[in-house]
Structure formats: C-alpha cells, structure tokens
Amino acid sequence: MVDYHAANNQPSAGGVQTYMEQENDWDRDLLLDPAWEKQQRKTFTAWCNSHLRKAGTQIENIEEDFRDGLKLMLLLEVISGERLAKPERGKMRVHKINNVNKALDFIASKGVKLVSIGAEEIVDGNAKMTLGMIWTIILRFAIQDISVEETSAKEGLLLWCQRKTAPYKNVNVQNFHISWKDGLAFNALIHRHRPDLIDYDSLRKDDPVHNLNNAFEVAEKHLDIPKMLDAEDIVGTLRPDEKAIMTYVSCFYHAFSGAQKAETAANRICKVLAVNQENEQMMEDYEKLASELLEWIRRTIPWLENRTQEKTVNEMQAKQEDFRDYRCVHKPPKVQEKCQLEISFNTLQTKLRLSNRPAFMPSEGRMVSDINGAWHTLEGAEKGYEEWILSEIRRLERLEHLAEKFHQKAAIHQSWTDGKEAMLTQKDYETSTLSEVKALLRKHEAFESDLAAHQDRVEQIAAIAQELNELDYYDSASVNACCQKICDQWDVLGALTQSRKESLERTEKQLESIDELYLEYAKRAAPFNNWMEGAMEDLQDMFIVHNIEEIQGLITAHEQFKSTLSEANKEREAIQAIQAEVQKIAQSNGIKLSGANPYTTITPESIDSKWEKAMAMVPQRDAALQEELNKQNSNDSLRATFAAQANTVGAYIQAKMEEIGRISIEMNGTLEDQLTSLKEYQKNIMSYMPEINKLEGYHQLIQEALIFDNQYTAYTMEHLRVGWEQLLTTIARTINEVENQILTRDAKGISQEQLYEYRASFNHFDKVRAPLINRGGDGEFARIMGIVDPNGSGAVTFQAFIDFMSRETTDTDTADQVIASFKILAGDKNFITAEELRRELPPDQAEYCIARMAPYTGPDGAPGALDYMSFSTALYGESDL
C-alpha cells in the first residue's frame, strides 16, 4: 500500500483523502480486473518513456527495467529538474537496493509518504508495487500541481476537461473511465486547442475505435504525446482503468497548458499595448492642438503689437472695428480650444496614473504653463493694442482740430498782412505837408498798435504748429512751411515798421499838425477792432469735450462773454461818436475833409459790419454749445446704462464664482448625479450669455460715442470679460475633475461608498484647513507626502488624494508582469523574435512592438532577436525597475 499523506507543504485534507481513496481503488482493481493491470502497464510505460527519451533512453518492461534503480533515478531527475545522489554502479543486489532507496527517499522528500513499498519489492520485480510506485510519481509530478478555479489534482484536471469540452455535442465528461470510452472527449480536447488538426463534425459516436485511434495518432504526430493505450483495450473493457485515463489526459493538459499561458500572456500584453496606444494618440492630439494654438497666438501677437499710425480718425476707427471683430469672432473659439487643451492634458495624466505609466511631458514649449504664458502675453498685447487705438483716435481728433484752427488763424493773419509791406515801403511822407506827415506818423503809431495786437496771433500760430509737430501730424511739412512763411513775413514787417517809424520821426520835427480826433478815433478803433476780430475768432473756434463739466465750462465762459457785450457796444458807440464829432466840427467850421481817417484804415462802416457779424455769431454759438450739451447728456445716459448692466453682471459673476466654490465642496449623490448637476449648472450659467452680449452692445455704443471714463461703475468691460471667462473655465475644470473621478472609480473598482468616505475625509480637512503635520517623523509619512504633494506646496488636491488611496488598495499591471508575459511568449528566452510576436499577438499590436523594440545585444542572442525587457520598462518608466 502507498500512503499519499504529505509531510510538508501538502494539499488540503480533502485532497489527501481523495488520493487515499484512489490508491485503495487501485489495490482492489488489480484483484478484480487483470485487464486494468495491462492498461496500466502500457500507459505507465509510455508515460515514463515520454520523459526518459529526453535523456536518450527508454524502458521495455516496467517491472524489470527499474529493478537496478538507475533508470528510476534518471526518470526522477528528468521530471523534477533536480539532481539526485550519485547512483551506485555495482551489479550486486545491495547496490540495486541502495539506488532504489535513493529514489524512494527523493519521492518522500517531495511530501509523499510511502507505506508498504520497499526497495526490496522493486528490486525483486514486484509488478503491483512497481505500478503503485509509478502511479505515486505520476500523481505527484503530473497531476498534483494541476489547479483550475480553486480545485486541484484530480478534481482540477476533471474540471479542466469539463470546461474545455463543454461546447461539443455527445461529450459529457463526468469521470476518468466511462466518459472517455467512445473517444469523442479526446478528439474534443484536441479540437478545442488545435481545430486545424481534427474534423470533429465528421466523427460518429457509434465508431469509438476510429475516434480513439484518430485522437491517439494526431496527439502522437502533432502534439508529441506518445500513444499510451490501444483503442481496442479501452473499447473491449466494460470500465477503462481510471489511472491510465488520468495519466493519458494529464499529458494533454500539460501539452495545452503552455498554449493557455501564452494566450494569457498575449492578452495581458494586448491590454497593456492598447492602453499605451490610446495614451500615445492622446499625446499626439495634445501636441497638435497645442502647436496650432501656439501658432495662432504667435501670428496674432505681431498684429496686436503693430503700431503703424494712420492719418485720419476714420482709418483708425476701421482698425478699431477690425479689433472688435477679432474679440467677438476670432478669439472665442481659441478660448474654447485652450480650455479643451487643459481638460485633455488633465485627463491624459489621470489615465497615465491609473495605468501606472510615467506622467506625460509635452515637448519643449508646449507645456500647459507655456500655453498659459503665451496666452497671458496675448492678452497683454490685446490690452495694449486697445489702449493704443483709443489714444490714437484721441490724438487724431486733436490733430484735426489743431490743423483746422491753424489754417483758420493763418488765413486771418494772411488777410491782415496783405498790402502791409507795400504800405510800409512807400515814400509818401516825402511830399506830404506837415499835417499829412503828422497824420502819417499817427497812422504809423496806430499800425504799430495793430501790429503789436497781432503778435499774439502769430505766437498762437507758431504754438499750434509746434504742437502739430509734437503730435506727429501727417502733413507737418506744409504746416511748417506755412508757419515759416508767416514768421519770415512777420520779421520783415517788424523791420519795415521800425524803418518807417524812424523816417516819420525824422520828418515829424518839421510837421506838427495832426487831427486829435482822428488820432483818438484811430487809437480806440484799433483795439476795439482787434477785440471784435478776436471775439469772432472765439465765436467760430471749434471745441471738443468729453463730459458735461467741460461743456458747462464753455457755456459759462460764453455767458461771461455775452455779459461784456453791453460795455463793448458802449465803446463802439463812443468810437462812432468820435467820428460823428469830427463830422460835426467839420460842418460847423466849414472844413472840407480830405477823405478817410489819415491815422487808421478802420472805418466806422467796418466797425459796424464786424459788430453785426459778431452779433449774428452769438446765437449760432449758443446753438452749437446747446447741441454739445445735449450730446454730453446723452453720453452720460449711456454711461449710466452701461454701469447699471455692468454692476449687475459683475455681482452675478462674483456670486457664481463663490457658489461654484461651495458646490465643489458640498456636492452629494453619485458621481454621475454630481456630473449631471454640474452640467445643468453649466447650462444655467450659459443661459446668462445674453446679458453679457447686451453689456457688449452697451460697451460698443460707448466706444462709438468716444466715451473714455465712467464715474458710475468700477467695472470695465475687460474686467468683466476676464471674470466671465474665469467662471466658465472654473465650471469646466470642476466638471473635468468629476469626470476624472468617474474614470478613477471605474478603472480602480472603487465603490460609491469608498468615494463618499474619501470625499468626507478630504472635505473635513479642507474645511478646517488642518495642516499636514508629520507627527511621528517617520519615513512612511514622507513617502506619502512625496506622492500626494510632489511639489512640496503643503496642499493636497482631491484628485491626488483619490489617486493615492486607489493606488494603495488596487493592483495594477507592472513592468515585471509584462516582462514575465513576454518571457512566456519567447519560450523562456531573454529575447523574442518578430515571428513569435506575429504568431502570439494581433497584427497591429505585434507590429507596434516590432517597431519599438531595440535589437537584443546579449551574448545568447540570435539573428533578428528583439529586446523585450527594455521595451517593457520603457512602457512604465525607470521608476518601476
């Protein structure tokens, strides 16, 4: 008898009991049916030879060939892969017994307790004991280690047969004797693993001999399983020997288990490669989108930094319209692309963490921080461009106003100077009487007074020309030429005036008579005339204002001017009275006047004419000021309308920013419910977009009205745009965080209750702002903090918290597992060939590996060998080695 109780590392008690029952059956069967012994001899002999041939030998008679113990020891060395003690080569009985004992001791060392089997019986050629010993070896080395779905040994082998033959008709494996008698079960096992070798549908249940021979011949020819039984022995026996069938079937199990391991290894590699391919596609998409966005920013910034000046307000307003079109049409899609880019980057990093891959590092210059930096530069360029456009419009308005004023004053001055040079160069005083000379002298004094009065106008013309030059007026050349002409002419007039004065003073000593009244008239008429000309200039003067206070200042100044008209009219009447007095004296004294006032060219008619023109300009000036006042009142209304909408929108954005902050902490329900609520909340926020557009409309009206300040609100359109974009981005990031949590949950198998527990723990520390303190000062805390807070900021995000918790509780593929899988596919070699990859993996993933594996350089390499170890470690990064 053989006792299969193991001394160490034994199977379960149930397994031991099963082995005992099997051995008892074997003992009784030999007594009941000698045919079984025949079947066992054939099967056990073939089984032993299938292993001994690896050592270049075989046996013919099982009880005779093991008697000296040499081939028995060799058999154990082949099937165990271990070296036994050196056998004794003597021919004496004691040498044989010692060799057999060494073999039996080795069997016992493997956890099998032999009972009633001694070396003497084997040496004596006891067939029963020899068969029992071989069955013990088969159980220990071929059947005991079989494990299928938590069952082992005989039960595991039976379950494996049932699983593999379940889809086949007329096959119902319930045992290791009757169920195999018709041969269909053997054929089903082969067809399940090698359908190319068996035409199963052509087999008939009523032809067991053909079925058995077909299976045995195919197994021997193609699967390297020697024929261990004859079909006639099985068919001719009422109940085939269970141990012979088990031994035969175990050979099929071991032949196909390698293929099953290869299939499992291939599936693992396919899974890893599929994840890697998907991640690489996401990386390529990110790089492409980042490159396109950066290229758009690179092309846009030079346009925004272009400061080419235009000549007119209309041309600058066209640029302003182009900028408004950029803001409203071209930029919003790029804002969405930037947001999508950040979401894709975060999702990719989450997937890489979940699949235990190294973090994605975009190519140089395409990091999210690089894009944010470029975007910040773009927004800075936008702000500078908008400010430059507004300042240029103000500058051009100012230039047009100054240019008009310059030409107006220059025209008036040119009109005044016409004929003055001819007058100053004439020699009329040489032939004049004393009274005429006195008149000429006084006339010249009046001219000097007039000349001095015009000095201010010349200085004003020069000042305006200087300001036009400083503001870079496009037609500065013609302005400068005109100004230079006026200044040169003014210098000539000054020199001629001084020369004529000196000539008249020399003549004055000889001429003493002068008409005092004409003189007085001339002295008073000249400044009054100059005052009227200045008043008419002021009444025609163009103005530009930006608020009510400025127009009201102009109205006040105009009212003050009108209040002086009464006194001016009295002065005019007094001047006209002087002329009337001259006429009265001449009439009363019979004096015949020679014509015009010798001291001045200003006639009473010209004074009255200018006075009438000035009085006609007053109501026109009133109307122009009133029109501008109405315009400024309208602008003030626009300011108030914009401010009301801006204050409402600003408060809304601030409230929603605070609200989304609370929502992200206080969300309840499943992640799917939270995601639905957040998307509904996002939809609700987007429904507010008409209010933003309405505010943009008010802002456009304000810009078109050239309104540059607003005392009714602290908000600007730029601030509100930035706030609105930040609100939309915050909502999108919150949604993305929940989506990543769903991804993490599904990938890691985290339950909803675990997520609630994680969220509650995280929110507790987040609410109380509890600091992270290493109370124990041990290395474990430092390790955890290095994972959840790699930057050492002292703050932990919820996503990092979940990643850590899931990583600590979930098993993931590792580089070592992938290397082990490739080693199985390679037949335990340190390299793999392209042919092996194409045979074991799907075509696309096989080519993927071949393209990325480096040539193997080890000393045991072969032509075309590929290095699967470095490829596997590269999938996970150096940190997993």
Side-chain angles (χ1 to χ4, degrees), residues 335-464:
V335 174
Q336 293 297 325
E337 289 180 9
K338 177 175 176 291
C339 180
Q340 183 60 41
L341 196 66
E342 293 180 2
I343 291 173
S344 299
F345 181 82
N346 292 335
T347 302
L348 174 59
Q349 297 294 40
T350 299
K351 286 186 175 183
L352 289 172
R353 286 195 302 272
L354 294 177
S355 60
N356 203 19
R357 301 300 197 278
F360 170 54
M361 182 63 65
S363 58
E364 184 177 358
R366 293 180 176 84
M367 294 288 291
V368 172
S369 59
D370 296 325
I371 295 172
N372 288 335
W375 193 264
H376 179 72
T377 303
L378 175 71
E379 291 182 332
E382 282 181 13
K383 182 179 179 183
Y385 189 69
E386 185 176 31
E387 292 174 352
W388 174 75
I389 287 178
L390 295 177
S391 66
E392 276 296 291
I393 291 175
R394 294 193 199 102
R395 183 182 70 85
L396 290 174
E397 284 182 337
R398 175 68 175 163
L399 284 174
E400 290 182 357
H401 170 68
L402 288 174
E404 181 65 24
K405 190 172 183 180
F406 174 86
H407 292 302
Q408 184 183 42
K409 288 183 176 292
I412 294 173
H413 177 77
Q414 192 64 41
S415 175
W416 178 84
T417 58
D418 285 345
K420 293 298 188 292
E421 286 189 35
M423 180 196 72
L424 292 172
T425 56
Q426 65 182 345
K427 305 295 185 179
D428 57 338
Y429 55 86
E430 295 179 349
T431 59
S432 298
T433 64
L434 179 60
S435 60
E436 290 173 344
V437 172
K438 287 184 177 288
L440 289 175
L441 184 58
R442 286 173 174 78
K443 181 180 179 181
H444 188 74
E445 291 175 354
F447 173 77
E448 282 185 319
S449 178
D450 197 10
L451 187 67
H454 276 78
Q455 177 69 34
D456 290 338
R457 182 178 290 114
V458 174
E459 292 175 355
Q460 289 175 4
I461 291 172
I464 294 173

Side-chain angles (χ1 to χ4, degrees), residues 213-387:
N213 283 329
N214 183 66
F216 295 162
E217 290 170 2
V218 168
E220 184 173 29
K221 182 177 181 181
H222 297 284
L223 303 179
D224 198 27
I225 299 175
K227 185 175 181 180
M228 299 184 179
L229 290 172
D230 293 328
E232 293 75 12
D233 293 340
I234 297 176
V235 174
T237 304
L238 182 64
R239 182 171 180 266
D241 180 60
E242 182 178 57
K243 294 167 185 57
I245 298 296
M246 282 182 64
T247 301
Y248 213 157
V249 172
S250 71
C251 293
F252 283 88
Y253 171 84
H254 289 294
F256 292 132
S257 63
Q260 187 175 8
K261 290 180 181 178
E263 179 182 356
T264 302
N267 289 339
R268 178 183 292 274
I269 292 173
C270 289
K271 174 184 174 184
V272 172
L273 295 178
V275 170
N276 211 61
Q277 289 173 312
E278 180 183 359
N279 291 342
E280 287 187 356
Q281 185 61 46
M282 290 188 69
M283 294 176 189
E284 292 176 1
D285 292 344
Y286 172 90
E287 291 281 350
K288 179 181 178 183
L289 185 57
S291 298
E292 292 174 350
L293 183 58
L294 287 171
E295 176 60 21
W296 177 82
I297 293 173
R298 185 190 66 77
R299 293 195 312 267
T300 304
I301 288 177
W303 174 68
L304 294 173
E305 292 177 343
N306 182 15
R307 297 295 186 268
T308 302
Q309 296 179 338
E310 302 296 342
K311 296 180 179 180
T312 65
V313 173
N314 289 337
E315 291 174 338
M316 283 307 300
Q317 287 177 335
K319 278 195 172 183
Q320 186 180 42
E321 187 62 30
D322 291 342
F323 179 72
R324 187 178 294 115
D325 184 66
Y326 156 80
R327 269 277 179 78
C328 299
V329 178
H330 300 291
K331 184 183 177 184
K334 298 303 177 182
V335 174
Q336 293 297 325
E337 289 180 9
K338 177 175 176 291
C339 180
Q340 183 60 41
L341 196 66
E342 293 180 2
I343 291 173
S344 299
F345 181 82
N346 292 335
T347 302
L348 174 59
Q349 297 294 40
T350 299
K351 286 186 175 183
L352 289 172
R353 286 195 302 272
L354 294 177
S355 60
N356 203 19
R357 301 300 197 278
F360 170 54
M361 182 63 65
S363 58
E364 184 177 358
R366 293 180 176 84
M367 294 288 291
V368 172
S369 59
D370 296 325
I371 295 172
N372 288 335
W375 193 264
H376 179 72
T377 303
L378 175 71
E379 291 182 332
E382 282 181 13
K383 182 179 179 183
Y385 189 69
E386 185 176 31
E387 292 174 352

